[in-house]
Amino acid sequence: MYFVTISEMFGTKGTQIAKQVAKGLNYSYYGEEELLKFAEEMGFFADAKKLEEKGPHLLERFFSEKPKVYLDRLQSVILELAKKGDALFFGKGSQLLLNSFNCALHVLVTGSLEKRIQQVMEEKKVDREIAEKMIHRSDQDKRGFLRFAFEEDWLNPNLYDLVLNTDKLSIDSATKIVMEAAKSDGIKACGMDSMKLLEKLSLQRKVEAAFLEAGVESQHTFYNVEDGETVRIYGIVYSLQEKEAVEKMMKGIKGVRKVINNLTVFQGAMGGA
């Protein structure tokens, strides 16, 4: 099992390259449309749709947990799809989400601003002013999304195994380079350990989203994903009903087969600062 992630600077033909690479390698292709379709199957369509590839508004980030819930669910979608086998993921932070896997090749498609402007003008049939604004907006959104999701600069070359400048490369030439890199000896097949890690990471995102959405997570209540099917909850709650409710919520998460409930019911009053 292998993965390829491709990220692009808008106006560099990255989408066409990604689709052609997936076809050439016989990998499943997951762009925005495909991710949203699978998110709908998982019951997360609204969450995935609300979190486009940009960071949330500053006020929403500080005064609401919703953006984090959306992010967790989007990431769980990507991780669940990765478990299905050979796949190419286009954007959505997949290069960082799958960064620790030796079976993944991470590619960034870049180009000069002038070439990007010309490409957008030609592809979108717009004038230069609009093309420049579209490029600026796209770069800004992607920068905000990666900072929010991973606290990383999306153009950091260390995040990628291959950086392609398409100013002088055709789609076919760039596709060939990526396919050769994906087949290189340095990209190892995912073993059982990788599968177990995918399962654990996916479940972790689902559990975190459930905690945040229910408003359960506090300075006194914690959880730990022990493996791909077991969750341990611990810390302090203030009634037996609350303890049982948290356990029931955990058992309702798809993929959770066992809940270890180590929550302690606290009888006294909490001290103030």
Side-chain angles (χ1 to χ4, degrees):
M1 183 169 70
Y2 299 88
F3 309 127
V4 174
T5 72
I6 295 183
S7 306
E8 68 153 0
M9 299 182 78
F10 184 58
T12 59
K13 300 172 281 191
T15 306
Q16 298 96 310
I17 293 166
K19 290 181 176 180
Q20 201 159 301
V21 169
K23 184 177 180 180
L25 293 173
N26 197 28
Y27 284 10
S28 297
Y29 172 82
Y30 298 115
E32 182 173 12
E33 183 178 338
E34 292 76 15
L35 290 175
L36 287 175
K37 182 179 179 181
F38 192 68
E40 185 172 19
E41 293 175 12
M42 292 178 66
F44 296 157
F45 178 80
D47 297 320
K49 186 68 176 174
K50 285 174 183 173
L51 188 67
E52 298 175 359
E53 197 164 26
K54 60 183 179 182
H57 188 276
L58 186 65
L59 290 176
E60 187 179 23
R61 189 185 306 183
F62 278 103
F63 294 105
S64 172
E65 295 288 4
K66 283 295 183 182
K68 181 59 177 170
V69 173
Y70 303 150
L71 178 63
D72 282 331
R73 287 184 171 157
L74 171 63
Q75 292 181 348
S76 72
V77 167
I78 293 173
L79 292 165
E80 284 294 317
L81 286 169
K83 287 160 56 177
K84 292 178 176 288
D86 297 344
L88 186 148
F89 294 96
F90 185 66
K92 298 297 185 186
S94 54
Q95 74 272 39
L96 277 155
L97 195 58
L98 299 172
N99 192 260
S100 61
F101 292 87
N102 291 328
C103 51
L105 173 74
H106 305 292
V107 181
L108 174 64
V109 184
T110 70
S112 66
L113 179 59
E114 184 56 37
K115 289 288 186 180
R116 293 169 67 195
I117 292 171
Q118 294 300 322
Q119 175 66 24
V120 173
M121 289 174 64
E122 179 181 337
E123 185 177 312
K124 303 297 183 183
K125 310 301 181 187
V126 296
D127 62 26
R128 185 181 183 89
E129 181 183 14
I130 293 176
E132 288 180 348
K133 288 186 178 296
M134 291 174 71
I135 288 170
H136 176 72
R137 174 71 61 80
S138 175
D139 288 351
Q140 188 177 46
D141 286 348
K142 289 177 181 178
R143 185 181 302 112
F145 177 76
L146 265 291
R147 281 181 178 169
F148 164 64
F150 301 100
E151 296 184 351
E152 274 283 4
D153 177 4
W154 74 292
L155 293 180
N156 177 1
N158 294 323
L159 300 178
Y160 305 95
D161 304 300
L162 180 64
V163 179
L164 285 177
N165 185 317
T166 56
D167 280 4
K168 300 175 183 178
L169 291 175
S170 67
I171 293 173
D172 287 344
S173 297
T175 297
K176 185 177 180 180
I177 293 170
V178 176
M179 288 179 61
E180 287 298 318
K183 295 175 182 177
S184 67
D185 293 337
I187 309 299
K188 309 297 182 184
C190 289
M192 284 303 298
D193 288 344
S194 295
M195 281 299 298
K196 290 179 180 178
L197 180 56
L198 280 172
E199 291 173 354
K200 184 175 181 179
L201 289 174
S202 177
L203 188 58
Q204 192 169 334
R205 296 305 192 280
K206 294 176 191 174
V207 171
E208 183 173 27
F211 257 66
L212 289 171
E213 189 168 49
V216 172
E217 191 168 38
S218 71
Q219 59 181 329
H220 307 130
T221 309
F222 313 96
Y223 68 86
N224 189 54
V225 177
E226 304 287 312
D227 52 42
E229 59 182 30
T230 306
V231 178
R232 182 171 73 92
I233 48 178
Y234 59 103
I236 296 172
V237 291
Y238 300 96
S239 69
L240 182 59
Q241 290 79 7
E242 186 180 354
K243 178 177 180 177
E244 292 172 348
V246 175
E247 180 175 340
K248 183 179 180 181
M249 181 185 68
M250 290 295 100
K251 287 181 177 178
I253 298 171
K254 187 176 180 180
V256 174
R257 296 185 180 180
K258 182 180 180 182
V259 177
I260 302 170
N261 193 340
N262 294 148
L263 288 169
T264 300
V265 179
F266 185 76
Q267 302 295 336
M270 297 301 294

